[in-house]
Amino acid sequence: MNDVVVTRAEGVLTLRLVRTQKKNALTAAMYEAMMDAFRDAEGDADIGVIVIRGGDGVFTAGNDIADFIAAAQAPGDMAAWRFVEALARLETPLVAAIEGVAVGVGATLMLHCDLVYAAPQTRFHMPFVDLGLVPEAGSSLLLPQRIGMARASEMFLLGELFDAAQAHRLGLVNEVVPAETLYTHAQARAATLAAKPRAAVAATRRLLRGDRAELHAQMKREAEAFAQALKSGEAQKAFLAFMARSKGL
Ligand code: COA
């Protein structure tokens, strides 16, 4: 899978998104590649941490809009849903290194990470409502828990962009790191974590995350609402507007 490059070093498995010409918009094949890598990491005693990152000034523009259009026409199994479920169930610690755009699941996946590092120029955006959609990846539960209902409502309902400094103030990002050192810093923190006693790390994560039943129930509700919304006139109109804009129409 050429759009996701997987490398390993120092107990860390790194997933690098390299569909740069499409702003790393995530296709079904990319979700499958990431899920394969998650499975490899979970079954490999040498791997203690997974890093997810973009490059060349972009993290990800979120789900590929063409795939949303296809999914609305032929509903069924969506790799995106299996991916967010896999994220929520991941037992290996997850570190994200984010620069440039982090849209949709590119922003909500932060809520499943153990450590998040972002470059100052990062622009986070959760434009679900503007696309005629609803939040996913458990974010409708996890975001208000993390930052409070007032701010979560503002982010979801008004869909305004926020930057790395704001994400840091809100506790969504551990550190704002200059773009030049972002990836080396995130890899170094990941390697430090991978070298810690594994069972204690795993047990601590489970304690921090607590009972996940409510999260999985909410993700099921989100998936149902999202599948409905995908077929709506509001969503179709937004997708077509994006496709037309990107073709310069
Ligand atoms: N799905 C499919 N293609 C996408 C995409 C997406 N989510 N995001 C970007 N692309 C494509 C563009 O169509 C364009 O393709 P082209 O060169 O063949 O025309 C290319 O990536 C570059 O994107 P462009 O919009 O020209 O870059 P930009 O720097 O002006 O804007 C974004 C970057 C991310 C702000 C903008 O592309 C965007 O808003 N994307 C959609 C994000 C989104 O709504 N995602 C779904 C979240 S649920």
Side-chain angles (χ1 to χ4, degrees):
M1 196 323 128
N2 294 333
D3 293 333
V4 181
V5 174
V6 181
T7 53
R8 333 163 142 243
E10 297 183 278
V12 178
L13 184 136
T14 301
L15 310 184
R16 180 176 175 176
L17 309 175
V18 293
R19 196 182 178 219
T20 318
Q21 76 287 2
K22 293 286 183 186
K23 303 283 173 188
N24 288 335
L26 297 167
T27 60
M30 290 167 79
Y31 288 124
E32 296 291 357
M34 290 192 282
M35 285 186 281
D36 284 347
F38 286 175
R39 275 189 290 271
D40 287 350
E42 304 264 51
D44 185 340
D46 289 341
I47 297 297
V49 174
I50 299 171
V51 169
I52 184 162
R53 56 166 285 188
D56 295 324
V58 57
F59 184 54
T60 170
N63 203 93
D64 191 289
I65 302 269
D67 280 11
F68 273 158
I69 294 172
Q73 282 157 3
D77 170 64
M78 262 181 87
W81 295 128
R82 286 185 286 108
F83 173 73
V84 294
E85 272 296 328
L87 260 186
R89 293 182 190 279
L90 201 58
E91 304 233 343
T92 307
L94 183 63
V95 174
I98 304 182
E99 63 167 332
V101 287
V103 187
V105 69
T108 56
L109 73 70
M110 278 194 293
L111 299 164
H112 296 278
C113 290
D114 299 86
L115 300 169
V116 180
Y117 302 97
Q121 298 79 10
T122 306
R123 294 288 176 270
F124 296 95
H125 193 197
M126 297 186 278
F128 302 108
V129 163
D130 288 331
L131 290 171
L133 299 173
V134 298
E136 36 64 313
S139 59
S140 58
L141 179 75
L142 296 175
L143 191 66
Q145 278 178 352
R146 190 81 80 86
I147 69 170
M149 187 59 80
R151 285 183 292 226
S153 298
E154 200 168 42
M155 278 183 192
F156 282 137
L157 297 176
L158 297 179
E160 283 166 5
L161 280 75
F162 55 102
D163 64 12
Q166 194 178 349
H168 184 242
R169 272 197 303 277
L170 291 170
L172 295 169
V173 158
N174 291 81
E175 260 181 272
V176 181
V177 183
E180 308 78 60
T181 51
L182 173 69
Y183 296 118
T184 47
H185 183 73
Q187 287 300 147
R189 301 307 285 160
T192 299
L193 179 55
K196 303 273 182 200
R198 295 276 169 81
V201 167
T204 301
R205 271 186 108 238
R206 280 195 290 274
L207 288 168
L208 283 169
R209 279 154 202 254
D211 183 355
R212 306 285 270 176
E214 192 188 356
L215 172 65
H216 293 296
Q218 183 73 359
M219 289 178 76
K220 191 164 178 287
R221 283 191 285 274
E222 287 177 349
E224 286 160 6
F226 203 103
Q228 273 305 112
L230 259 186
K231 294 183 281 187
S232 69
E234 290 177 345
Q236 293 303 308
K237 195 169 155 207
F239 298 156
L240 293 177
F242 176 76
M243 300 308 274
R245 186 211 67 140
S246 98
K247 289 197 182 81
L249 299 175

